[in-house]
Amino acid sequence: MDLSFLEILKVVFLGIVEGITEWLPISSTGHMLLVDEFLKLNMTEAFKEMFFVVIQLGAILAVVLLFWNKMFPFQFKDKTQPIIKKDIFSLWFKVVVACIPGAVVTILFDDYIEAHFHTPIVIAATLIIYGIAFIWIENWNKNRRAKVTDLGDVTYKIAFMIGLFQVLSIIPGTSRSGSTIIGALLIGVSRVVAAEFTFFLAVPVMFGLSALKILKFGLDFTGAELAVLGIGMFVAFAVSVFVIKFLMSYIKKHDFKVFGWYRIALGIIVLAYFTIM
């Protein structure tokens, strides 16, 4: 693999795209695949397949940094309080339950999906379909009050139902965060809690997917390949820190419809371009 200055710029750009799109419900994988149609990377198909997944670990580490106090289930500062934070442990068990449907479907169908559905037309279609879904759900929710307004109120049943919606994200262009947020909104979870639970859910999901992709690729990395992974993950991490802060501030006062309109517009552009070409 030739690690020229131009290739480094391409990897940096992909890291920026990943950092922005991982947390906004607009599909990071879909955007990465679309960018690759125009910005060809000088790497093998096997490495590229792995890279597009593992680069997301950088974005995940941004969540761990920003939500450490909510995610870490132990405390050692106050000796008058229990070391184990039972509420956080309970939440992680619910996250595990939510991961089960996606894990089963990914193990069974991931290779098939990659072979048949990683196309610009499929991405365009899912961008449009779920863009419409966001707008419809937000309009439907306008006069409804959320039943779940705190992470602690998420039950095992709700967690599993959100996990079922996450299964939809195996199709590129859907968006993992988008599918879980849509599912959460439909069953009465507030926007803020839907986003926060999505952040929690992303941690084991992306670590698991990355481990599978790395094992499939093998551990025989060249120096250039390690450099590409490192640069991509670092840029995705740095950008994600700002994007997550923006998203959490934005959804306290606004709904998700703007992302729905963006998805529809992008989907139409992509569909038109690849139909004409």
Side-chain angles (χ1 to χ4, degrees), residues 35 60 65-66 79-80 91 98 110 112 115 120 125 138 149 159-160 162 188 217 223 226-227 242 251 256 271 274:
V35 169
I60 300 304
L65 173 68
L66 294 175
K79 295 183 179 180
T80 64
L91 184 57
D110 187 51
Y112 179 83
E138 286 290 14
T149 57
F160 184 74
I162 292 174
F217 177 78
L226 287 175
F242 292 100
I251 61 176
F256 286 102
L271 197 59
F274 284 99

Side-chain angles (χ1 to χ4, degrees), residues 112-144:
Y112 179 83
I113 294 295
E114 285 191 357
H116 295 86
F117 291 89
H118 280 218
T119 67
I121 301 302
V122 170
I123 293 170
T126 51
L127 282 169
I128 294 170
I129 291 168
Y130 287 95
I132 294 171
F134 262 114
I135 295 169
W136 178 81
I137 289 169
E138 286 290 14
N139 287 334
W140 180 61
N141 263 340
K142 189 176 294 183
N143 298 318
R144 296 173 71 234

